[in-house]
Amino acid sequence: MLKYWMNLATPAAQDRMILLLNHVLSRESHAMARLQPFAGQLVVLHLQNWPALLPAAPDLALGVTPAGLFERQEGGESAASLRIELDASNPALLALGALLGERPSVSVQGDAAFAGEISWLMENLRWDIEDDLAAVVGPAAARQLSNWGRSASTAVAALARSAAAFKPAGSKAS
């Protein structure tokens, strides 16, 4: 039953992540321009070392559109120009790191030029949450909400890091 619900929810969740990624890309025309030469190419995102206790996370295949944006592709992982493997041994820490703008530990295989552009995007592209909030609640409130959000995410990330390093009494060090 869980597998059935995961099969329904996963594509929808992936589509929402791609919408967010395309929103961030569309705010930076030079980022879109850097991807346009790679239109039609496919990049596969694989979560490596995913915890066995969690339902398996499927690969995410993204095709580059002529506009320099991404779209989810069904299958076709074998035809990928680029494969990116993220270390997902601690998914909560990975998600918090993404919120804090930290670059995850990745392994890249495939087209070197395409990999260089994706690396540049990972290094330089950031979501300006404050700007998006300002359109809804105004600049002053957006500034305050953004500050609170940064403080909260920093605190939760610190808690996650200390929890990940925690070894119960009597456990063997690895």
Side-chain angles (χ1 to χ4, degrees):
M1 183 72 169
L2 179 62
K3 188 174 184 175
Y4 171 77
W5 287 107
M6 287 296 296
N7 287 340
L8 284 178
T10 299
Q14 289 178 339
D15 286 341
R16 296 317 173 268
M17 287 186 291
I18 295 166
L19 281 173
L20 176 62
L21 176 60
N22 284 337
H23 170 72
V24 174
L25 276 169
S26 67
R27 294 287 187 122
E28 304 291 340
S29 59
H30 62 280
M32 291 171 50
R34 291 181 79 124
L35 282 175
Q36 286 172 344
F38 301 99
Q41 292 194 31
L42 191 67
V43 59
V44 173
L45 182 65
H46 174 73
L47 299 176
Q48 194 170 3
N49 302 323
W50 186 257
L53 292 175
L54 297 175
D59 290 350
L60 174 59
L62 300 170
V64 179
T65 68
L69 298 171
F70 289 109
E71 63 184 358
R72 185 171 60 86
Q73 302 289 316
E74 293 291 335
E77 285 85 2
S78 60
S81 303
L82 190 63
R83 181 176 174 87
I84 301 174
E85 296 179 348
L86 280 91
D87 179 19
S89 54
N90 187 339
L93 195 57
L94 181 66
L96 286 169
L99 285 174
L100 292 172
E102 296 174 358
R103 186 172 180 166
S105 172
V106 298
S107 168
V108 180
Q109 304 161 2
D111 181 356
F114 194 19
E117 294 304 326
I118 297 295
S119 177
W120 184 90
L121 289 174
M122 289 173 62
E123 196 68 38
N124 296 292
L125 207 58
R126 297 290 176 264
W127 180 20
D128 188 356
I129 299 171
E130 188 176 327
D131 185 51
D132 286 343
L133 280 172
V136 177
V137 297
R143 180 75 168 170
Q144 190 62 46
L145 287 170
S146 180
N147 287 339
W148 287 343
R150 270 190 292 278
S151 297
S153 63
T154 301
V156 171
L159 179 64
R161 282 189 189 94
S162 63
F166 175 72
K167 300 255 190 244
S171 68
K172 294 182 181 180
S174 46

